[in-house]
């Protein structure tokens, strides 16, 4: 994503029920479009998380791990791909307020 200043990383494992509130909270950030990107690392979920992301959150970049690497391993997978000046880690059960990233 050209021009983005931050990448928000969310690690997920069988959290399809947690992702919508979390990612909707990121959609509501009070920053200009293109200021940040969102990456979800899916740790081999079997609950439809990948399908949910593709269907409802097409703007999210997904890294699908073939195995569950845990929270730290998932973050490390994403951090290796970050090209923005800032990386921000967000738990999938958190719902950020609109001014959270600012």
């Amino acid at each position: 994503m050209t021009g983005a200043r931050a990448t928000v990383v969310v690690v997920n494992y069988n959290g399809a029920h947690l992702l919508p509130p979390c990612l909707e909270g990121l959609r509501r950030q009070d920053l200009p479009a293109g200021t940040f990107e969102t990456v979800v690392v899916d740790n081999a979920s079997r609950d439809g998380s990948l399908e949910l992301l593709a269907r409802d959150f097409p703007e999210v970049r997904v890294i699908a791990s073939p195995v569950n690497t845990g929270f730290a391993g998932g973050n490390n997978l994403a951090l290796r791909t970050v090209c923005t000046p800032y990386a921000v880690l967000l738990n999938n059960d958190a719902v950020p307020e609109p001014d959270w990233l600012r």
Side-chain angles (χ1 to χ4, degrees):
M1 176 176 282
T2 306
R5 299 280 302 146
T7 301
V8 179
V9 176
V10 179
V11 175
N12 180 65
Y13 175 67
N14 289 332
H17 63 292
L18 299 171
L19 288 172
C22 177
L23 297 176
E24 288 292 343
L26 289 173
R27 280 181 175 165
R28 289 190 299 272
Q29 292 304 293
D30 62 1
L31 294 169
T35 303
F36 71 97
E37 69 172 329
T38 303
V39 175
V40 172
V41 177
D42 186 76
N43 267 331
S45 294
R46 291 175 280 185
D47 67 346
S49 290
L50 288 174
E51 294 81 5
L52 172 109
L53 289 165
R55 182 187 67 235
D56 297 342
F57 300 96
E59 74 277 12
V60 171
R61 181 163 56 97
V62 177
I63 299 172
S65 176
V67 296
N68 184 351
T69 60
F71 182 74
N75 280 311
N76 284 330
L77 281 174
L79 291 173
R80 285 194 279 270
T81 72
V82 170
C83 297
T84 56
Y86 302 100
V88 185
L89 308 180
L90 180 65
N91 288 357
N92 67 344
D93 64 348
V95 180
E97 293 293 325
D99 64 347
W100 170 76
L101 191 54
R102 183 173 28 96

